[in-house]
Amino acid sequence: MEVRVRYAPSPTGLQHIGGIRTALFNYFFARSSGGKFILRVEDTDRERYSDESLEDLYSTLEWLGVKWDEGPVVGGDYGPYIQSERFDIYKKYAEQLVAEGKAYYCYCSPERLEALRKEQAESKSEYQGYDRHCANLTAEERAELEAQGIKPVIRLRVPTEGKTTFHDILMGDITRRNRDISPDPIILKSDGFPTYHLANVIDDHLMHITHIMRAQEWIPSGPLHVLLYQAFGWEVPQYCHLPMVMGKDGQKLSKRHGSTAVRDFRAKGYLPEAIINYVTLVGWSLDGSTEFFTKSELEKCFRLENIHKSPAVFDYKKLDWFNGQYIRAAADERIASLITPYLQEAGFIQDPLTEEDKALVSRIVPPVKERMKVLSDVVPLTAFIFRDEPVEDKTVYIGKGSDLEKTVEALRRGSDILLSGLRSGRSHEDIETELSALATELSIKVAGVFQPIRVAITNSTVSLPLFDSIELIGLDETERRLRRGLTILEEN
RNA sequence: GUCUCCUUCGUCUAGUGGUUAGGACAACGGGUUUUCAUCCCGUCAACGCGGGUUCGAUCCCCGCAGGAGAUGCCA
């Protein structure tokens, strides 16, 4: 039988790390088993729905290169794939359950339910949940409530006796006593929309989903879903609950742990392959030693059996490491086009790129590539090229073991060695040797010579390699900044 | 409160009835280097606790503790 899995997010917020981890696991499982990956939009919560979320879903999956075989936009044999367009289907099935006595109309107000919950919480009652107030209304009672204009919800009758078990590929059999299942959950809301439980079960059945891979937070509702399948007389699909992604403090990963929206990672300059690689490694491993995986490798080697059972903490630093690795491995041309928008946004170069800027960006890439963890790092790294903000604090120019007097001397003579050397085309090695000799002569460390030069040219003690920096701003500008540095050091 | 799941270095993980318990990130130290970074080398660091079973348990069984999740007209 062909494997059919789905990623079924609800467009109520931006796609986050946990969500795409689920998407990726589904996608890789489908690909590695020759099955189909289906995308379904679960927009049954009209209160929290937003168009932005839906657009974010599509753009994020596209950016990651995750293509769905069936779903919105591409279509498929079991559409529509957006739940709000399947409104009538859910209503029909819910009413069928009512007709069969497996579900019933409930007229309780949200206020009554709220009060009930509060009372149960305060009394620490062992029994929590709906009190089945409307479970056995007579036709007359219902007619009267209807006449008052109350729009009812539909609740599923959960048995009070017995227990329900489902099998999870990772976890094994999971059993709950029926009395512990949320009593008579709402399956159709008063606005006619289904709740998650109903819509999910119906669609998974109608779309012939074979494996349900979702986060472990759904485990407790597994038995409820089985009850629903049984009520309809449908075959229960296979379950595989995925370990959750946690923050540093061991709680479910959320905004307070830092960025979780994939869009934010993208904006900061993470590469999609780094995100895919790292996120897949959270809760999954091939052999415990292989670290790097391309997307197409994962499409081949991903196995359900290698998924871990316990929750995993998301490590931002390891993601940074992966990203740095991928940046360094990328072709220079690609990095050039990727860093361009950051330089433009910083106002360093024009938006329609001039030929000159384009050439400059290409020259920036090699020295910068070794130093970036995220693409946006390019801005502070190259600011000195586009903005000249001289360091006024003399002490910054003074290298370790040197003093102001020697620093002035080092900068003056060092500048001459540097400029004349470069103008006459001497090798960097020769110039370096000569600068070292100067240090020896002044009886200071090599850094005592290089530091004032570096600070004068790059306006920072930390910079790209000196000769690269000079090359990027040009010899004339270099000379101007060196002179200016000397002026700063010599003024009182 | 009740129910369900989980438990190997700080983090992600590998692994076995007898191993020096392996790798990666982080941290720390060193080397290369004009700074930073890269790169290379090294150090630190784990089987939650208590009972069993066994010649022997990190691994099998039972308790416990801790953590997480669920208990919504949200998913």
Coordinates of all heavy atoms in Angstrom, one line a residue, chain A residues 44-45 48 128 189-190 218 244 250-251 281 283 288 291 308 310 313 318 325 370-371 432 454 463 465, chain B residues 1 3-7 11-14 22 24-25 34-39 68-70 73-75:
Chain A
T44 N -9.9 26.0 10.6 CA -11.3 25.9 11.2 C -11.5 26.9 12.3 O -12.6 27.1 12.8 CB -11.6 24.5 11.7 OG1 -10.6 24.1 12.7 CG2 -11.6 23.5 10.6
D45 N -10.4 27.5 12.8 CA -10.5 28.5 13.8 C -10.5 29.9 13.2 O -9.5 30.5 12.8 CB -9.2 28.4 14.7 CG -9.4 29.4 15.9 OD1 -10.2 30.3 15.9 OD2 -8.6 29.3 16.8
R48 N -8.7 33.0 15.0 CA -7.3 33.2 15.0 C -6.7 33.2 13.6 O -5.5 33.4 13.4 CB -6.6 32.2 15.8 CG -7.0 32.3 17.3 CD -6.0 31.5 18.2 NE -5.9 30.1 17.8 CZ -4.8 29.3 18.0 NH1 -3.7 29.9 18.4 NH2 -4.9 28.1 17.6
Q128 N -13.2 16.1 35.9 CA -13.0 17.3 35.2 C -13.7 17.2 33.9 O -13.6 16.2 33.2 CB -11.5 17.6 35.1 CG -10.7 17.7 36.4 CD -10.6 19.1 36.9 OE1 -10.4 20.0 36.2 NE2 -10.6 19.2 38.3
K189 N -18.8 23.1 16.1 CA -19.0 24.3 16.9 C -20.3 24.9 16.5 O -20.9 24.6 15.5 CB -17.9 25.3 16.7 CG -16.5 24.8 16.8 CD -15.4 25.8 16.5 CE -14.1 25.2 16.1 NZ -13.1 26.2 15.6
S190 N -20.8 25.9 17.3 CA -22.1 26.5 17.1 C -22.1 27.3 15.8 O -23.1 27.6 15.2 CB -22.5 27.4 18.3 OG -21.5 28.3 18.5
W218 N -0.2 15.5 20.9 CA -1.4 15.0 20.5 C -1.7 13.6 21.1 O -2.8 13.1 20.9 CB -1.5 14.9 18.9 CG -1.6 16.2 18.3 CD1 -0.6 16.9 17.6 CD2 -2.7 17.1 18.4 NE1 -1.0 18.1 17.3 CE2 -2.3 18.3 17.7 CE3 -4.0 17.1 18.9 CZ2 -3.1 19.4 17.5 CZ3 -4.8 18.2 18.7 CH2 -4.4 19.3 18.1
M244 N 8.7 16.3 21.0 CA 8.6 17.8 20.9 C 9.9 18.5 20.9 O 10.9 18.0 21.3 CB 7.7 18.2 22.0 CG 6.4 17.4 22.1 SD 5.0 18.5 22.4 CE 5.3 18.9 24.0
G250 N 13.5 23.6 28.9 CA 12.8 22.4 28.9 C 11.3 22.5 28.7 O 10.6 21.5 28.7
Q251 N 10.8 23.7 28.4 CA 9.4 23.9 28.1 C 9.3 23.9 26.6 O 10.3 24.2 25.9 CB 8.9 25.3 28.6 CG 9.3 25.5 30.1 CD 8.2 25.0 31.0 OE1 8.4 24.0 31.7 NE2 7.1 25.7 31.1
L281 N 17.9 16.9 12.6 CA 18.7 16.2 13.6 C 18.2 16.4 15.0 O 18.7 15.9 15.9 CB 20.2 16.7 13.5 CG 21.2 15.8 13.0 CD1 20.7 14.7 12.1 CD2 22.3 16.6 12.2
G283 N 15.8 15.2 17.3 CA 14.9 14.1 17.5 C 15.1 13.0 16.5 O 14.3 12.0 16.4
G288 N 24.3 8.4 14.7 CA 25.0 9.0 15.8 C 26.3 9.7 15.5 O 26.9 10.4 16.3
E291 N 26.9 13.9 10.5 CA 26.3 15.2 10.9 C 25.7 15.9 9.7 O 24.7 16.6 9.8 CB 27.5 16.1 11.4 CG 28.0 15.6 12.7 CD 27.2 16.2 13.9 OE1 27.1 17.4 14.0 OE2 26.7 15.4 14.7
H308 N 13.7 9.6 17.7 CA 13.9 9.5 19.2 C 12.5 9.6 19.8 O 11.6 10.2 19.3 CB 14.8 10.5 19.7 CG 15.8 10.1 20.7 ND1 15.9 10.6 21.9 CD2 16.7 9.0 20.7 CE1 16.8 10.0 22.6 NE2 17.3 9.0 21.9
S310 N 12.2 10.8 23.2 CA 12.1 11.9 24.2 C 12.3 13.2 23.6 O 12.8 13.4 22.5 CB 13.3 11.7 25.2 OG 14.5 11.4 24.5
V313 N 15.9 19.5 23.1 CA 16.1 21.0 23.3 C 16.7 21.5 22.0 O 17.7 21.0 21.5 CB 17.0 21.3 24.5 CG1 17.3 22.8 24.6 CG2 16.3 20.8 25.8
K318 N 24.2 25.4 17.9 CA 24.6 24.4 17.0 C 24.0 24.8 15.6 O 24.6 24.5 14.6 CB 24.0 23.0 17.4 CG 24.6 21.9 16.6 CD 24.8 20.6 17.3 CE 25.5 19.6 16.5 NZ 25.7 18.3 17.2
Q325 N 29.1 26.6 8.6 CA 29.6 25.5 7.8 C 29.1 25.6 6.3 O 29.8 25.4 5.3 CB 29.3 24.1 8.4 CG 30.0 23.8 9.7 CD 31.5 23.6 9.6 OE1 32.0 22.9 8.7 NE2 32.2 24.3 10.5
E370 N 34.6 33.5 5.6 CA 35.2 32.7 6.7 C 34.7 33.2 8.0 O 35.0 32.6 9.0 CB 36.7 32.8 6.6 CG 37.3 32.4 5.3 CD 37.1 30.9 5.0 OE1 37.3 30.1 5.9 OE2 36.6 30.6 3.9
R371 N 34.1 34.4 8.1 CA 33.8 35.0 9.3 C 32.3 35.1 9.7 O 31.9 35.6 10.7 CB 34.4 36.4 9.3 CG 35.8 36.5 9.8 CD 36.5 37.7 9.2 NE 37.3 37.3 8.1 CZ 38.6 37.0 8.3 NH1 39.2 37.3 9.4 NH2 39.3 36.5 7.3
E432 N 55.2 42.7 5.1 CA 55.0 42.2 6.4 C 56.4 42.0 7.1 O 56.5 42.4 8.3 CB 54.4 40.8 6.4 CG 52.9 40.8 6.7 CD 52.3 39.4 6.6 OE1 52.7 38.5 7.3 OE2 51.4 39.3 5.7
R454 N 45.8 49.1 11.6 CA 44.5 48.5 11.4 C 43.4 49.4 11.9 O 42.4 49.6 11.2 CB 44.5 47.2 12.2 CG 43.1 46.5 12.2 CD 43.1 45.3 13.1 NE 44.2 44.4 12.9 CZ 44.4 43.6 11.8 NH1 43.4 43.6 10.9 NH2 45.4 42.9 11.7
S463 N 39.0 43.3 12.6 CA 38.6 43.5 11.2 C 38.9 42.4 10.3 O 39.5 41.4 10.7 CB 39.4 44.8 10.7 OG 40.7 44.4 10.5
P465 N 41.3 40.8 7.3 CA 42.7 40.9 7.1 C 43.1 42.2 6.5 O 42.4 42.8 5.7 CB 43.0 39.7 6.2 CG 41.9 38.7 6.5 CD 40.7 39.6 6.7
Chain B
rG1 P -1.4 17.9 42.4 OP1 -0.7 16.7 42.9 OP2 -0.9 18.6 41.2 O5' -2.9 17.5 42.1 C5' -3.7 17.1 43.3 C4' -5.1 16.7 42.7 O4' -5.6 17.9 42.0 C3' -5.1 15.6 41.7 O3' -5.2 14.4 42.3 C2' -6.3 15.9 40.8 O2' -7.5 15.5 41.5 C1' -6.3 17.5 40.8 N9 -5.6 18.1 39.7 C8 -4.5 18.8 39.7 N7 -4.2 19.2 38.5 C5 -5.1 18.7 37.7 C6 -5.2 18.8 36.2 O6 -4.5 19.4 35.4 N1 -6.3 18.1 35.8 C2 -7.2 17.4 36.6 N2 -8.2 16.8 36.0 N3 -7.1 17.3 37.9 C4 -6.0 18.0 38.4
rC3 P -4.7 9.2 37.6 OP1 -5.1 7.8 38.0 OP2 -3.5 9.8 38.2 O5' -4.6 9.3 36.0 C5' -5.7 8.7 35.2 C4' -5.5 9.2 33.8 O4' -5.5 10.6 33.7 C3' -4.2 8.8 33.2 O3' -4.2 7.5 32.7 C2' -4.0 9.8 32.1 O2' -4.9 9.5 31.0 C1' -4.6 11.1 32.7 N1 -3.6 11.9 33.3 C2 -2.8 12.8 32.5 O2 -3.1 12.8 31.3 N3 -1.9 13.6 33.1 C4 -1.7 13.6 34.4 N4 -0.7 14.4 34.9 C5 -2.4 12.7 35.2 C6 -3.3 11.9 34.7
rU4 P -2.8 6.6 32.6 OP1 -3.2 5.2 32.2 OP2 -2.0 6.9 33.8 O5' -2.1 7.3 31.4 C5' -2.5 7.1 30.1 C4' -1.7 8.0 29.1 O4' -1.8 9.4 29.5 C3' -0.2 7.7 29.2 O3' 0.2 6.6 28.4 C2' 0.4 9.0 28.6 O2' 0.2 9.0 27.2 C1' -0.6 10.0 29.2 N1 -0.1 10.6 30.4 C2 0.9 11.6 30.3 O2 1.3 12.0 29.2 N3 1.3 12.2 31.5 C4 0.9 11.8 32.8 O4 1.4 12.4 33.8 C5 0.0 10.7 32.8 C6 -0.5 10.2 31.7
rC5 P 1.5 5.8 28.8 OP1 1.5 4.5 28.1 OP2 1.7 5.7 30.3 O5' 2.7 6.7 28.2 C5' 2.8 6.9 26.8 C4' 3.7 8.1 26.6 O4' 3.3 9.3 27.3 C3' 5.1 7.9 27.1 O3' 5.9 7.1 26.3 C2' 5.6 9.3 27.2 O2' 5.9 9.8 25.9 C1' 4.4 10.0 27.7 N1 4.3 10.2 29.1 C2 5.1 11.2 29.7 O2 5.8 11.9 29.0 N3 5.1 11.4 31.1 C4 4.4 10.5 31.8 N4 4.4 10.7 33.1 C5 3.6 9.5 31.3 C6 3.6 9.4 29.9
rC6 P 7.2 6.3 26.9 OP1 7.7 5.4 25.8 OP2 6.8 5.7 28.2 O5' 8.3 7.4 27.1 C5' 8.8 8.2 26.1 C4' 9.6 9.3 26.6 O4' 8.8 10.1 27.5 C3' 10.8 8.9 27.5 O3' 11.9 8.6 26.7 C2' 11.0 10.2 28.3 O2' 11.7 11.2 27.6 C1' 9.6 10.6 28.5 N1 9.0 10.2 29.8 C2 9.4 10.9 31.0 O2 10.3 11.7 30.9 N3 8.9 10.5 32.2 C4 7.9 9.5 32.2 N4 7.4 9.2 33.4 C5 7.5 8.8 31.0 C6 8.1 9.2 29.9
rU7 P 13.1 7.6 27.3 OP1 13.9 7.2 26.2 OP2 12.4 6.5 28.1 O5' 13.9 8.5 28.3 C5' 14.4 9.8 27.9 C4' 15.2 10.4 29.1 O4' 14.3 10.6 30.2 C3' 16.3 9.4 29.6 O3' 17.6 10.0 29.7 C2' 15.7 8.8 30.8 O2' 16.7 8.6 31.8 C1' 14.8 9.9 31.3 N1 13.6 9.3 32.0 C2 13.3 9.7 33.3 O2 14.1 10.4 34.0 N3 12.2 9.1 33.9 C4 11.3 8.3 33.3 O4 10.3 7.9 33.9 C5 11.6 8.0 31.9 C6 12.7 8.5 31.3
rU11 P 21.6 18.8 29.5 OP1 20.1 18.8 29.9 OP2 22.3 17.5 29.6 O5' 21.7 19.3 28.0 C5' 20.9 20.4 27.6 C4' 21.1 20.6 26.1 O4' 22.4 21.0 25.9 C3' 20.9 19.4 25.3 O3' 19.5 19.1 25.0 C2' 21.6 19.7 24.0 O2' 20.9 20.7 23.2 C1' 22.9 20.4 24.6 N1 23.9 19.5 24.9 C2 24.7 19.0 23.8 O2 24.5 19.4 22.7 N3 25.7 18.1 24.2 C4 26.0 17.6 25.4 O4 26.9 16.8 25.5 C5 25.2 18.1 26.5 C6 24.2 19.0 26.2
rC12 P 19.0 17.6 24.8 OP1 17.6 17.6 24.7 OP2 19.7 16.7 25.7 O5' 19.6 17.4 23.3 C5' 19.1 18.2 22.2 C4' 19.7 17.7 20.9 O4' 21.1 18.0 20.9 C3' 19.6 16.2 20.7 O3' 18.4 15.8 20.2 C2' 20.8 16.0 19.7 O2' 20.4 16.3 18.4 C1' 21.8 16.9 20.2 N1 22.7 16.3 21.2 C2 23.8 15.5 20.7 O2 24.0 15.5 19.5 N3 24.7 14.9 21.6 C4 24.4 15.0 22.9 N4 25.3 14.4 23.7 C5 23.3 15.7 23.4 C6 22.5 16.3 22.6
rU13 P 17.8 14.3 20.4 OP1 16.6 14.2 19.7 OP2 17.9 14.1 21.9 O5' 18.9 13.5 19.7 C5' 19.3 12.2 20.1 C4' 20.6 11.8 19.5 O4' 21.6 12.6 20.1 C3' 21.0 10.4 19.7 O3' 20.4 9.5 18.8 C2' 22.5 10.5 19.5 O2' 22.9 10.6 18.1 C1' 22.8 11.9 20.1 N1 23.3 11.8 21.5 C2 24.5 11.2 21.8 O2 25.2 10.8 20.9 N3 24.8 11.1 23.1 C4 24.1 11.5 24.2 O4 24.5 11.4 25.3 C5 22.8 12.1 23.9 C6 22.5 12.2 22.6
rA14 P 20.2 8.0 19.2 OP1 19.4 7.4 18.1 OP2 19.7 8.0 20.6 O5' 21.7 7.4 19.1 C5' 22.3 7.4 17.8 C4' 23.6 6.7 17.9 O4' 24.5 7.4 18.8 C3' 23.6 5.3 18.6 O3' 23.1 4.3 17.7 C2' 25.0 5.1 18.9 O2' 25.8 4.7 17.7 C1' 25.5 6.5 19.3 N9 25.6 6.6 20.8 C8 24.7 7.3 21.6 N7 25.1 7.2 22.9 C5 26.2 6.5 22.9 C6 27.1 6.0 23.9 N6 26.9 6.3 25.2 N1 28.2 5.3 23.5 C2 28.4 5.0 22.2 N3 27.6 5.4 21.2 C4 26.6 6.1 21.6
rG22 P 34.0 6.9 25.3 OP1 35.3 6.4 25.8 OP2 33.3 8.0 26.0 O5' 34.2 7.3 23.8 C5' 34.7 6.4 22.9 C4' 34.0 6.5 21.6 O4' 32.6 5.9 21.6 C3' 33.7 8.0 21.1 O3' 34.8 8.6 20.6 C2' 32.5 7.7 20.2 O2' 33.0 7.2 18.9 C1' 31.7 6.7 20.9 N9 30.8 7.3 21.9 C8 30.9 7.4 23.2 N7 29.9 8.1 23.8 C5 29.1 8.5 22.7 C6 27.9 9.3 22.7 O6 27.3 9.7 23.6 N1 27.5 9.4 21.4 C2 28.1 8.9 20.2 N2 27.5 9.2 19.1 N3 29.2 8.2 20.2 C4 29.7 8.0 21.5
rA24 P 34.0 14.7 17.2 OP1 35.0 15.2 16.2 OP2 34.3 14.7 18.7 O5' 32.6 15.5 17.0 C5' 32.1 15.7 15.7 C4' 30.8 16.5 15.8 O4' 29.8 15.7 16.6 C3' 30.9 17.8 16.6 O3' 31.4 18.9 15.9 C2' 29.4 18.0 17.0 O2' 28.7 18.5 15.9 C1' 29.0 16.6 17.3 N9 29.2 16.2 18.7 C8 30.2 15.5 19.3 N7 30.1 15.5 20.7 C5 29.0 16.2 20.9 C6 28.3 16.4 22.2 N6 28.7 16.0 23.4 N1 27.2 17.2 22.1 C2 26.7 17.6 20.9 N3 27.3 17.4 19.7 C4 28.4 16.6 19.8
rC25 P 32.1 20.1 16.6 OP1 32.7 20.9 15.5 OP2 33.0 19.5 17.7 O5' 30.9 20.9 17.3 C5' 29.9 21.5 16.5 C4' 28.9 22.1 17.4 O4' 28.2 21.1 18.1 C3' 29.4 23.1 18.4 O3' 29.6 24.4 17.9 C2' 28.3 23.0 19.4 O2' 27.2 23.8 19.0 C1' 27.9 21.6 19.4 N1 28.6 20.8 20.4 C2 28.1 20.9 21.8 O2 27.2 21.6 22.0 N3 28.8 20.2 22.7 C4 29.8 19.4 22.4 N4 30.4 18.8 23.4 C5 30.3 19.3 21.1 C6 29.6 20.0 20.1
rU34 P 51.3 36.7 10.7 OP1 51.8 37.4 9.5 OP2 52.3 36.0 11.6 O5' 50.5 37.7 11.6 C5' 51.1 38.6 12.4 C4' 50.2 39.8 12.7 O4' 50.2 40.6 11.5 C3' 48.8 39.4 12.9 O3' 48.6 39.1 14.3 C2' 48.0 40.6 12.5 O2' 48.0 41.6 13.5 C1' 48.9 41.2 11.4 N1 48.4 40.8 10.0 C2 47.3 41.5 9.5 O2 46.7 42.3 10.2 N3 46.9 41.2 8.3 C4 47.5 40.2 7.4 O4 47.1 40.1 6.3 C5 48.7 39.6 8.0 C6 49.1 39.9 9.2
rU35 P 47.4 38.0 14.7 OP1 47.9 37.4 15.9 OP2 47.1 37.2 13.5 O5' 46.2 39.0 15.1 C5' 46.3 39.9 16.2 C4' 45.0 40.6 16.3 O4' 44.8 41.4 15.1 C3' 43.7 39.7 16.3 O3' 43.5 39.3 17.6 C2' 42.6 40.7 15.8 O2' 42.2 41.5 16.8 C1' 43.4 41.5 14.8 N1 43.2 40.9 13.4 C2 42.0 41.2 12.8 O2 41.1 41.7 13.3 N3 41.9 40.6 11.5 C4 42.9 40.0 10.8 O4 42.7 39.6 9.7 C5 44.1 39.8 11.5 C6 44.3 40.2 12.8
rC36 P 42.9 37.8 17.8 OP1 42.8 37.7 19.3 OP2 43.8 36.9 17.1 O5' 41.5 37.8 17.2 C5' 40.4 38.6 17.7 C4' 39.3 38.6 16.8 O4' 39.7 39.2 15.5 C3' 38.8 37.2 16.4 O3' 37.9 36.7 17.3 C2' 38.0 37.6 15.1 O2' 36.8 38.2 15.3 C1' 39.0 38.6 14.5 N1 39.9 38.0 13.5 C2 39.5 37.8 12.2 O2 38.3 38.1 11.9 N3 40.4 37.2 11.3 C4 41.6 36.9 11.7 N4 42.4 36.4 10.8 C5 42.0 37.1 13.1 C6 41.2 37.7 13.9
rA37 P 37.9 35.1 17.6 OP1 36.8 34.9 18.5 OP2 39.3 34.6 17.9 O5' 37.5 34.5 16.1 C5' 36.1 34.5 15.7 C4' 36.0 34.2 14.2 O4' 37.0 35.1 13.5 C3' 36.4 32.8 13.8 O3' 35.4 31.9 14.0 C2' 36.6 33.1 12.3 O2' 35.3 33.2 11.6 C1' 37.3 34.4 12.3 N9 38.8 34.1 12.3 C8 39.7 34.2 13.3 N7 40.9 33.8 13.0 C5 40.8 33.6 11.6 C6 41.7 33.1 10.7 N6 43.0 32.9 11.0 N1 41.3 33.0 9.4 C2 40.0 33.2 9.1 N3 39.0 33.6 10.0 C4 39.5 33.8 11.2
rU38 P 35.7 30.3 14.2 OP1 34.4 29.7 14.5 OP2 36.8 30.2 15.2 O5' 36.3 29.9 12.8 C5' 35.4 29.9 11.7 C4' 36.2 29.6 10.5 O4' 37.3 30.6 10.4 C3' 37.0 28.3 10.5 O3' 36.1 27.2 10.0 C2' 38.1 28.5 9.5 O2' 37.6 28.4 8.1 C1' 38.5 30.0 9.8 N1 39.6 30.0 10.7 C2 40.9 29.7 10.2 O2 41.1 29.4 9.1 N3 41.9 29.8 11.1 C4 41.8 30.2 12.5 O4 42.8 30.3 13.1 C5 40.5 30.5 12.9 C6 39.4 30.4 12.0
rC39 P 36.2 25.8 10.8 OP1 35.2 24.9 10.1 OP2 36.0 26.1 12.2 O5' 37.6 25.3 10.5 C5' 38.0 25.0 9.2 C4' 39.5 24.7 9.2 O4' 40.3 25.9 9.5 C3' 40.0 23.7 10.2 O3' 39.8 22.4 9.8 C2' 41.5 24.1 10.4 O2' 42.2 23.5 9.3 C1' 41.4 25.6 10.2 N1 41.3 26.3 11.6 C2 42.5 26.4 12.3 O2 43.6 26.0 11.9 N3 42.4 27.0 13.5 C4 41.2 27.5 14.0 N4 41.2 28.1 15.2 C5 40.0 27.3 13.2 C6 40.1 26.7 12.0
rA68 P 8.6 20.9 33.4 OP1 8.9 22.3 33.1 OP2 7.7 20.5 34.5 O5' 8.0 20.2 32.0 C5' 8.7 20.4 30.8 C4' 8.1 19.4 29.8 O4' 8.1 18.1 30.3 C3' 6.6 19.7 29.5 O3' 6.5 20.7 28.5 C2' 6.2 18.3 28.9 O2' 6.7 18.2 27.6 C1' 7.0 17.4 29.8 N9 6.2 16.9 30.9 C8 6.2 17.4 32.2 N7 5.4 16.8 33.0 C5 4.7 15.9 32.2 C6 3.7 15.0 32.4 N6 3.1 14.8 33.6 N1 3.2 14.3 31.3 C2 3.8 14.5 30.1 N3 4.8 15.3 29.8 C4 5.2 16.0 30.9
rG69 P 5.1 21.6 28.5 OP1 5.3 22.6 27.5 OP2 4.7 21.9 29.9 O5' 4.1 20.5 28.0 C5' 4.1 20.1 26.6 C4' 3.2 19.0 26.3 O4' 3.4 17.9 27.3 C3' 1.7 19.4 26.6 O3' 1.1 20.1 25.5 C2' 1.1 18.0 26.7 O2' 1.0 17.3 25.5 C1' 2.2 17.3 27.5 N9 2.0 17.3 29.0 C8 2.6 18.1 29.9 N7 2.1 17.8 31.1 C5 1.2 16.8 31.0 C6 0.4 16.1 31.9 O6 0.3 16.3 33.2 N1 -0.4 15.2 31.3 C2 -0.5 14.9 30.0 N2 -1.3 14.0 29.6 N3 0.3 15.5 29.1 C4 1.1 16.5 29.6
rA70 P -0.2 20.9 25.8 OP1 -0.5 21.6 24.5 OP2 0.0 21.8 27.0 O5' -1.3 19.9 26.1 C5' -1.8 19.0 25.1 C4' -2.8 18.1 25.7 O4' -2.1 17.3 26.7 C3' -3.9 18.7 26.4 O3' -4.9 19.1 25.5 C2' -4.4 17.6 27.3 O2' -5.1 16.6 26.6 C1' -3.1 17.0 27.7 N9 -2.6 17.5 29.0 C8 -1.7 18.6 29.3 N7 -1.5 18.8 30.5 C5 -2.4 17.9 31.2 C6 -2.6 17.6 32.5 N6 -2.1 18.3 33.6 N1 -3.5 16.7 32.8 C2 -4.1 16.0 31.8 N3 -3.9 16.1 30.5 C4 -3.0 17.1 30.3
rC73 P -14.7 24.2 24.9 OP1 -14.0 25.3 25.4 OP2 -15.9 23.7 25.6 O5' -15.3 24.7 23.5 C5' -15.1 23.8 22.3 C4' -15.3 24.7 21.1 O4' -16.7 24.9 20.9 C3' -14.7 26.1 21.3 O3' -13.6 26.3 20.4 C2' -15.9 27.1 21.3 O2' -15.7 28.2 20.5 C1' -17.1 26.2 20.8 N1 -18.3 26.5 21.4 C2 -19.4 26.9 20.6 O2 -19.2 27.0 19.4 N3 -20.6 27.2 21.1 C4 -20.7 27.1 22.5 N4 -21.9 27.4 22.9 C5 -19.7 26.7 23.3 C6 -18.5 26.4 22.8
rC74 P -13.2 27.1 19.3 OP1 -14.0 28.3 19.1 OP2 -13.1 26.1 18.2 O5' -11.8 27.6 19.7 C5' -10.8 26.8 20.3 C4' -9.6 26.9 19.5 O4' -8.5 27.1 20.5 C3' -9.2 25.7 18.7 O3' -9.9 25.7 17.5 C2' -7.7 26.0 18.5 O2' -7.5 26.9 17.5 C1' -7.3 26.5 19.9 N1 -6.8 25.5 20.8 C2 -5.4 25.5 21.0 O2 -4.7 26.3 20.4 N3 -4.8 24.6 21.9 C4 -5.6 23.8 22.5 N4 -5.0 22.9 23.3 C5 -7.0 23.7 22.3 C6 -7.6 24.6 21.5
rA75 P -9.9 24.5 16.5 OP1 -10.9 24.7 15.5 OP2 -9.8 23.2 17.2 O5' -8.4 24.8 15.9 C5' -7.8 23.9 14.9 C4' -6.3 24.0 15.1 O4' -6.0 24.3 16.5 C3' -5.7 22.6 14.9 O3' -5.4 22.4 13.6 C2' -4.5 22.7 15.8 O2' -3.4 23.4 15.2 C1' -5.0 23.5 17.0 N9 -5.6 22.7 18.1 C8 -6.9 22.3 18.3 N7 -7.1 21.6 19.3 C5 -5.8 21.3 19.8 C6 -5.4 20.6 20.9 N6 -6.2 19.9 21.7 N1 -4.0 20.6 21.1 C2 -3.2 21.2 20.3 N3 -3.5 22.0 19.3 C4 -4.9 22.0 19.1

